[in-house]
Amino acid sequence: MNDVNTIEDERLAMLNQARKAIVASPIAKAGLVFSFGKKVSNHWLILMAAVIFDILALIPFISVVFNLLFGLVLFLYFGPKSKGGSEFTRIVLPIGIGSIFDFFLSVLPVNIAAALIRIALNDK
């Protein structure tokens, strides 16, 4: 019985060592860091808010106001928590450029695009 436990312990130790080697590999770390789908799934609430604001922004000429309001919501959601980096390039620039185009073409999903850009540039 003792021999069986020793063999099982050795196999368990080898399995744990193999797991540590897989997790510690740079490819595995890069896969975890750059998993955009995982980042998006962590921020589903802000994406739903973006959809609502994009529906409200279908009204011509008033769409800019809704885009700016969503920019404020996006800043409150991400801005105060982030450490380093400029919120200008992460939030203001996508909302501003998108609002210029959305002023003439009210069907653009500017808020969804801005939210996805901010999620992609998220430090976490």
Side-chain angles (χ1 to χ4, degrees), residues 17 25 51 63 82 97:
Q17 186 178 8
S25 72
V51 169
S63 61
S82 69
I97 292 173

Side-chain angles (χ1 to χ4, degrees), residues 22-101:
I22 290 172
V23 171
S25 72
I27 295 172
K29 287 182 181 178
L32 291 174
V33 171
F34 295 113
S35 175
F36 186 66
K38 187 175 181 180
K39 285 183 176 183
V40 169
S41 67
N42 288 336
H43 301 289
W44 64 271
L45 185 63
I46 197 70
L47 287 173
M48 290 299 115
V51 169
I52 292 169
F53 274 91
D54 272 337
I55 291 172
L56 293 172
L58 287 174
I59 303 168
F61 305 113
I62 300 178
S63 61
V64 175
V65 174
F66 286 114
N67 291 341
L68 294 176
L69 285 174
F70 181 74
L72 179 66
V73 170
L74 201 60
F75 177 75
L76 292 174
Y77 185 78
F78 283 110
K81 292 186 250 178
S82 69
K83 298 175 183 170
S86 172
E87 294 303 315
F88 179 76
T89 58
R90 295 177 179 183
I91 295 174
V92 176
L93 202 58
I95 289 287
I97 292 173
S99 293
I100 291 169
F101 287 111

